[in-house]
Amino acid sequence: MPRKPLSKPAKPAKVPVHGPQHANQVRIIGGQWKRTPLPVLSALGLRPTPDRVRETVFNWINHQRDGYWANAQVLDLFAGSGALGFEAASRGAQAVTMIDSNAQVTRQLDEIKTRLKADNVQIMRGDALSVAQSAAARGQTYDLIFLDPPYQQNFLEKSLPLAARLLKEGGLVYAESGLALEFADGEAPEWMAGWEIVRADKAGMVFFHLLKYTA
């Protein structure tokens, strides 16, 4: 009686390189700290910009800056996990100021800064809008401003007019929102006055935009 051929052992399932992320971490996409994991304080409901979206956004920014980061002054007003600010620092930004109002968040950001020896990063605890107003009153300006606030709390409506005062000529704002910022002619709200959308896209329920101020 002929023997049955031995069945081949099942191959282990391949883990997709860009598959679902661990719920409690994101990774730096490029630069000197590429692939470094950043922990996310899930208990606080932080909603970090996903790796895939950040990769797209930083490709946009790189194109606008011709890949040159060495003189970039960056402000991350709603820092959260620090994914955006540390990404900019990893790519060689001259200075990155990261603001968050939560003490637990800023403590973790400080720990990450120490671990990375990120001398080009400054962490501040404070109210984002108050810090922005103070910086504008001092005449402080930035080449790149990240606005990734909690959704549905009108933070973009309040922070975009402030960002217009904080932005250097030719500077860029990255804005993330639960709603698109593209409006039909004559229908844009007052807080969008003067803003030009350079690039925009959507991932799931997240709308993300690269803006320039033209007024």
Side-chain angles (χ1 to χ4, degrees):
M1 185 174 178
R3 288 184 180 179
K4 290 183 179 179
L6 294 173
S7 57
K8 292 181 180 179
K11 290 183 179 179
K14 289 184 178 180
V15 178
V17 176
H18 298 292
Q21 302 172 79
H22 190 282
N24 295 322
Q25 71 176 32
V26 292
R27 289 185 181 275
I28 294 175
I29 301 296
Q32 64 174 319
W33 305 316
K34 185 176 180 178
R35 298 189 183 91
T36 300
L38 300 176
V40 177
L41 292 169
S42 56
L44 295 172
L46 295 184
R47 178 191 38 75
T49 304
D51 291 359
R52 182 170 62 84
V53 171
R54 256 181 305 118
E55 186 169 17
T56 298
V57 169
F58 276 84
N59 284 341
W60 292 350
I61 296 169
N62 259 338
H63 179 71
Q64 293 292 319
R65 296 187 58 83
D66 293 325
Y68 186 70
W69 286 88
N71 66 343
Q73 301 282 326
V74 180
L75 175 64
D76 188 357
L77 265 186
F78 303 89
S81 70
L84 291 167
F86 282 118
E87 187 75 46
S90 177
R91 291 165 188 255
Q94 183 177 20
V96 179
T97 302
M98 300 165 71
I99 314 296
D100 204 281
S101 60
N102 187 287
Q104 194 175 351
V105 168
T106 53
R107 190 158 52 246
Q108 179 168 271
L109 293 175
D110 271 322
E111 289 171 2
I112 296 169
K113 172 186 171 175
T114 300
R115 175 162 53 90
L116 295 176
K117 298 181 175 62
D119 296 333
N120 53 344
V121 172
Q122 179 186 13
I123 312 294
M124 292 176 59
R125 183 187 172 196
D127 175 76
L129 298 177
S130 297
V131 170
Q133 286 170 342
S134 297
R138 294 194 307 271
Q140 179 73 50
T141 54
Y142 299 90
D143 300 283
L144 177 61
I145 299 174
F146 295 123
L147 299 178
D148 182 15
Y151 295 168
Q152 300 169 333
Q153 295 185 39
N154 300 327
F155 278 123
L156 276 185
E157 297 178 21
K158 297 170 183 173
S159 55
L160 267 176
L162 284 169
R165 297 168 55 196
L166 289 167
L167 206 59
K168 291 183 182 180
E169 186 174 352
L172 298 165
V173 165
Y174 169 69
E176 199 170 303
S177 173
L179 298 170
L181 299 183
E182 296 172 286
F183 300 92
D185 288 346
E187 293 184 8
E190 189 176 338
W191 50 270
M192 276 294 290
W195 289 103
E196 172 195 336
I197 297 176
V198 179
R199 297 292 299 268
D201 207 341
K202 181 188 179 190
M205 300 303 291
V206 176
F207 294 84
F208 51 104
H209 318 76
L210 197 61
L211 308 173
K212 275 187 177 177
Y213 191 66
T214 59

